[in-house]
Amino acid sequence: MSKENIVDGVQNAPHRSLFHALGLTEEEQSRPLIGIVSSYNEIVPGHMNIDKIVDAVKLGVAMAGGTPIVFPAIAVCDGIAMGHTGMKYSLVTRDLIADSTEAMALAHGFDGLVMVPNCDKNVPGLLMAAARVNIPTVFVSGGPMLAGKVEGKKTSLSSMFEAVGAYSAGKISDEKLREYECKTCPTCGSCSGMYTANSMNCLTEALGMGLRGNGTIPAVYSARIELAKHAGMAVMDMVQKNIRPRDIMTEEAIMNALTVDMALGCSTNSMLHLPAIAHECGVEINLDIANKISERTPNLCHLAPAGRTYMEELDEAGGVYAVMNELNKKGLLNTDCMTVTGKTVGENIEGCINLNHDVIRPIDNPYSETGGIAVLKGNLAPEGSVVKRSAVLPEMLVHEGPAKVFDCEEDAQAAINAGKIVAGDVVVIRYEGPKGGPGMREMLNPTSAIMGMGLGNSVALITDGRFSGATRGACVGHVTPEAASGGLIGVVEDGDIISINIPENTIELKVDDAVLAERMKNFVPKTKELSGYLKRYASLVSGGASGAILN
């Protein structure tokens, strides 16, 4: 499908009449038609500047001889949706975005696309659409927010959520909480730590679908506008050379992205999105592959919430390409993969020097010899679960303790606020998975409260839901099978001992097998009355371990 199917020949005169209705001249109709997918809206801080990015992309396309045409994509702000029913509508938008973009692109015969996303589900949704549509496509995001500053220390959204926990524990005053509120998020852009949005924008570079700097140039920098113009020019070059997303997002490229993921210490949500993107590309990956890659990939970055550096500092240090160049010193990347530049990964990263060894550790002096994410398996998660290992305190890498069980996030949050969670506990939150939630809500409120109250070095949390990229601590998500699908997490009882061993990649419910067999025999998963899109989503969605894809 391309412009020729829409505008060429006598039979397409009606189509051309509608292009004239748009005000498109014959000259514009004769050039490649480039769809620009704009995620602009006025409710998501990471998207409020995208109109400027889109204008720059349009200029770049026109400068290179194309005709730019804009159409929209939706986006949810996970921070605003956090902690209430709205979070049920976060992950589910990934598939709405993919479906609607596929429909718009194929219905209108575009020759190429420029995707302009930024925040969490927007990026993977558009990557999924790019794979489906498979016409020349370039990504350019809205860019990350600058870090805030409180008492001379840089802050990000995770600092804000943890400040609420500190306030609840009586550790900070009303005035201090208000200061965090006003100073934590100082600019437009995706929140300033290595959260899901920035993780996925960085991994877009690693996949080869975005230009250098896509993941790291701050939203408020003029270099972001220049990048957008170059993206518009790049898609025209791709149209001429017929370079398509599935030429780029090969199995080798996806392995590169997983490797960079481990080095950067990305959000655990990447373990939902990369399998879903791979699935659209005809590549099947599983969580076992993640551990194999993690075993050989050193963790080079500790950006917030794992450490005290932020996206602007990663950009100044050389960005994603500098990280990739470090990895390539040990041959950890496939450098022959094609990219949107028309060059290979190896050609792109050549000479991209690590300019700050405090932000990007050299390959021979990593934070750890293994990657930032670990997949844990055991009787509690036979199909897998995920933890951001790089954001776990050393003393919590191995933890065993009694379960405190809750059937929803709100009940767990109330117990935490009431002081009912004590050192040594393992908080279990179930019926929050893809099907049981539905929508697999993020648990940033309870994890941040635990950290803010000073329990991060003694309390673990597990869930069949998921975590924000802003979460830190011994927090194990994506437990599969989930409770709603009859998983063992559904029969955990208060006081049961749960053992978590991150170095050994295990998670076990230490209850006698005969007792568990009896519990499972009598187990009937709870159900919820659903309507609308959530009802349809719950009936189609797979488990978290396979990427929560729709079957």
Side-chain angles (χ1 to χ4, degrees):
M1 189 68 175
S2 66
K3 173 176 64 65
E4 284 72 20
N5 302 100
I6 303 294
V7 301
D8 288 359
V10 173
Q11 73 279 6
N12 285 327
H15 304 82
R16 293 195 295 274
S17 74
L18 292 169
F19 279 124
H20 282 295
L22 291 169
L24 293 180
T25 66
E26 291 182 6
E27 291 84 357
E28 287 174 302
Q29 293 180 46
S30 70
R31 298 169 181 166
L33 298 180
I34 306 299
I36 302 174
V37 186
S38 171
S39 304
Y40 170 77
N41 64 51
E42 294 183 340
I43 188 61
V44 184
H47 291 236
M48 62 183 285
N49 66 316
I50 279 179
D51 56 340
K52 308 295 189 300
I53 305 298
V54 166
D55 286 345
V57 172
K58 290 172 67 176
L59 185 56
V61 168
M63 289 166 65
T67 299
I69 301 176
V70 179
F71 65 88
I74 64 170
V76 164
C77 177
D78 278 19
I80 295 173
M82 196 70 65
H84 56 89
T85 299
M87 182 46 69
K88 295 178 186 288
Y89 287 90
S90 172
L91 179 60
V92 304
T93 64
R94 184 186 72 183
D95 296 275
L96 286 174
I97 291 162
D99 292 348
S100 59
T101 302
E102 173 195 355
M104 287 293 289
L106 293 180
H108 298 108
F110 291 107
D111 296 293
L113 296 169
V114 179
M115 306 291 199
V116 191
N118 209 22
C119 290
D120 298 23
K121 312 311 164 298
N122 195 238
V123 183
L126 290 179
L127 283 164
M128 291 163 67
R132 290 184 198 173
V133 176
N134 201 36
I135 61 176
T137 302
V138 176
F139 276 67
V140 56
S141 76
M145 184 184 293
L146 293 178
K149 200 170 268 190
V150 176
E151 294 181 340
K153 295 180 180 179
K154 288 189 174 182
T155 59
S156 58
L157 186 63
S158 54
S159 312
M160 183 69 250
F161 277 89
E162 290 180 19
V164 173
Y167 177 80
S168 299
K171 294 186 174 185
I172 63 173
S173 65
D174 289 344
E175 293 76 15
K176 184 57 65 179
L177 183 65
R178 174 69 174 164
E179 184 180 0
Y180 271 98
E181 184 180 332
C182 294
K183 294 181 178 180
T184 293
C185 298
T187 72
C188 63
S190 49
C191 295
S192 56
M194 188 54 80
Y195 309 152
T196 305
N198 294 327
S199 294
M200 293 310 302
N201 283 320
C202 287
L203 295 182
T204 300
E205 284 190 60
L207 278 169
M209 289 296 293
L211 300 177
R212 182 182 183 183
N214 177 65
T216 59
I217 296 172
V220 295
Y221 284 11
S222 297
R224 174 67 52 181
I225 301 296
E226 296 181 33
L227 181 73
K229 292 174 185 175
H230 283 126
M233 298 176 201
V235 77
M236 292 300 296
D237 184 57
M238 291 178 71
V239 169
Q240 184 179 0
K241 295 176 179 175
N242 196 29
I243 300 172
R244 299 171 181 251
R246 289 186 206 164
D247 300 327
I248 295 170
M249 292 191 286
T250 61
E251 182 173 357
E252 292 78 13
I254 291 164
M255 295 303 109
N256 280 350
L258 280 166
T259 301
V260 174
D261 186 337
M262 296 300 171
L264 284 172
C266 289
S267 164
T268 52
N269 283 309
S270 63
M271 292 295 103
L272 281 175
H273 301 320
L274 286 174
I277 295 161
H279 178 75
E280 298 292 349
C281 296
V283 176
E284 298 302 322
I285 63 174
N286 58 48
L287 294 185
D288 293 329
I289 292 174
N291 271 350
K292 290 177 183 177
I293 291 176
S294 181
E295 286 171 8
R296 64 179 175 83
T297 306
N299 177 226
L300 305 181
C301 298
H302 266 193
L303 289 102
R308 294 185 177 181
T309 52
Y310 296 81
M311 295 306 296
E312 64 225 52
E313 290 159 305
L314 178 59
D315 187 62
E316 292 163 5
V320 175
Y321 278 18
V323 174
M324 294 175 74
N325 202 24
E326 287 289 345
L327 293 170
N328 196 42
K329 291 176 182 178
K330 288 196 174 180
L332 296 175
L333 297 176
N334 186 316
T335 56
D336 294 328
C337 293
M338 180 51 60
T339 72
V340 294
T341 66
K343 299 178 180 179
T344 65
V345 167
E347 290 173 306
N348 285 345
I349 67 175
E350 186 177 359
C352 295
I353 299 169
N354 177 1
L355 300 173
N356 188 333
H357 291 185
D358 292 328
V359 177
I360 304 170
R361 287 279 186 92
I363 193 73
D364 55 1
N365 182 32
Y367 281 102
S368 69
E369 293 293 341
T370 52
I373 288 177
V375 173
L376 313 184
K377 286 190 173 184
N379 67 347
L380 197 51
E383 294 176 27
S385 61
V386 181
V387 63
K388 189 171 184 174
R389 171 166 41 196
S390 60
V392 179
L393 293 170
E395 59 267 36
M396 290 299 292
L397 290 170
V398 177
H399 180 77
E400 185 170 296
K404 294 279 182 70
V405 184
F406 306 94
D407 286 345
C408 66
E409 177 191 1
E410 289 84 353
D411 289 350
Q413 187 66 46
I416 295 167
N417 291 345
K420 295 180 180 179
I421 305 302
V422 299
D425 283 345
V426 178
V427 177
V428 178
I429 307 178
R430 60 194 180 193
Y431 294 104
E432 291 286 7
K435 187 180 296 292
M440 207 177 186
R441 288 195 291 180
E442 292 182 344
M443 303 290 143
L444 181 57
N445 277 343
T447 60
S448 296
I450 287 169
M451 296 302 294
M453 290 176 170
L455 294 171
N457 62 351
S458 60
V459 170
L461 190 152
I462 69 169
T463 180
D464 52 10
R466 61 194 178 94
F467 298 113
S468 165
T471 288
R472 63 189 179 104
C475 303
V476 182
H478 310 193
V479 170
T480 310
E482 62 179 291
S485 295
L488 192 66
I489 190 174
V491 299
V492 178
E493 297 180 358
D494 283 340
D496 287 349
I497 301 300
I498 294 175
S499 174
I500 300 167
N501 191 319
I502 295 172
E504 297 294 329
N505 299 321
T506 62
I507 182 168
E508 293 284 338
L509 178 61
K510 301 187 78 171
V511 175
D512 185 84
D513 288 346
V515 173
L516 291 180
E518 187 65 23
R519 288 186 194 176
M520 291 298 289
K521 184 173 70 173
N522 298 315
F523 177 41
V524 178
K526 294 183 179 181
T527 58
K528 296 174 181 176
E529 289 294 325
L530 300 172
S531 62
Y533 180 54
L534 290 183
K535 183 175 183 178
R536 182 159 29 112
Y537 183 87
S539 71
L540 297 173
V541 71
S542 72
S546 58
I549 60 174
L550 298 187
N551 294 312

